[in-house]
Amino acid sequence: MSDNRTGLQGPAPDERPHPDGRRNAQGIRIDPEAESEHEPRRTVFSAIVEDEPGVLSRVAGLAARRQFNIESLTVGPTTVEGHSRITMVVEEPEPGIDQIEKQLAKLKPVISVGELDDDAVRAELVLLKVRGEDPDKVHAITEMYDGHTLDAGPETITVQLSGDERKIDDAVDAFRRFGIIEIARTGQTALAHGSKKTVPGEEPGTSGEPTKPNTNTQ
């Protein structure tokens, strides 16, 4: 009886070796032992990007495709016209953090990107809307955390707070006693400590230089 099957001969599917591990969304096999060796850690990336339409969506899309765990993403202008700074807080195992930096650097609008040191200066802003039954107590807590009252009425009070993440978290906990109705947090933004450049691409001390007075006399 003839065998009309074509193709390469080999073991049946159930006889073939099956490597351990799982595949990520890109089909890349993940070594479970290598993955377990790296605990997730939290870090901040800063990137200088060109002001192009959709640049923020490109960064967010990259994170979504790669399944990176991004906690916050902020963007704002720099001292260089046509450039913006993106600050991104992520929590990933070490291999994931390395991949984030490499993948961001490949994006066309990205000029430079880097991971910030632990001593970087970090801050965020939060708006809190609480119930207004105890305005004096709300005002006292607002002053305690160097905040500002933006709106006050008989039913609600809205305050603004800024500072590092720990200060913001403590303030939010303090305001819970009044009943937080709504909250909006910007997420962290950050710069390198002291005279160290956060990332290349922005020249320090070049923005807002005073114009020299004209001393010529007729």
Side-chain angles (χ1 to χ4, degrees):
M1 186 175 182
S2 61
D3 189 351
N4 295 324
R5 291 178 301 175
T6 60
L8 298 176
Q9 295 184 356
D14 57 351
E15 298 175 352
R16 298 171 186 168
H18 297 280
D20 294 331
R22 61 181 178 86
R23 293 183 183 274
N24 61 15
Q26 292 73 46
I28 302 173
R29 188 170 296 281
I30 301 173
D31 184 347
E33 294 184 2
E35 186 180 37
S36 63
E37 292 175 358
H38 301 281
E39 292 294 329
R41 70 177 178 90
R42 201 159 175 260
T43 190
V44 179
F45 283 100
S46 183
I48 300 294
V49 300
E50 296 177 358
D51 284 337
E52 294 184 1
V55 62
L56 192 59
S57 65
R58 293 188 194 180
V59 174
L62 169 66
R65 290 192 304 273
R66 300 288 180 174
Q67 296 185 324
F68 294 139
N69 183 23
I70 293 182
E71 295 192 3
S72 66
L73 188 64
T74 64
V75 61
T78 71
T79 62
V80 180
E81 185 177 356
H83 291 176
S84 291
R85 181 185 301 278
I86 290 178
T87 306
M88 185 167 61
V89 180
V90 302
E91 185 173 2
E92 283 284 326
E94 201 65 41
I97 290 175
D98 292 340
Q99 281 299 311
I100 290 173
E101 186 168 3
K102 291 177 182 177
Q103 294 299 324
L104 282 175
K106 291 180 181 179
L107 288 180
K108 181 180 178 298
V110 175
I111 298 169
S112 61
V113 61
E115 181 182 356
L116 273 65
D117 295 333
D118 292 338
D119 64 350
V121 180
R122 313 178 190 197
E124 67 173 302
L125 180 143
V126 62
L127 300 182
L128 281 166
K129 183 185 292 185
V130 301
R131 303 191 184 280
E133 288 89 348
D134 297 306
D136 292 341
K137 293 180 180 179
V138 171
H139 182 67
I141 296 296
T142 302
E143 284 193 333
M144 182 186 302
Y145 288 96
D146 302 318
H148 303 282
T149 300
L150 300 182
D151 182 60
E155 296 183 355
T156 63
I157 300 173
T158 301
V159 301
Q160 171 186 302
L161 304 165
S162 61
D164 61 36
E165 186 179 36
R166 181 174 180 179
K167 175 185 175 181
I168 296 298
D169 288 341
D170 290 345
V172 171
D173 288 340
F175 277 103
R176 291 190 193 281
R177 71 187 72 177
F178 307 114
I180 298 176
I181 300 172
E182 291 180 314
I183 185 171
R185 296 180 69 159
T186 62
Q188 290 189 45
T189 188
L191 292 175
H193 175 72
S195 59
K196 180 181 178 181
K197 284 187 178 181
T198 304
V199 291
E202 185 175 8
E203 292 299 324
T206 59
S207 178
E209 293 181 351
T211 303
K212 294 181 179 180
N214 186 356
T215 57
N216 291 336
T217 57
Q218 298 295 330

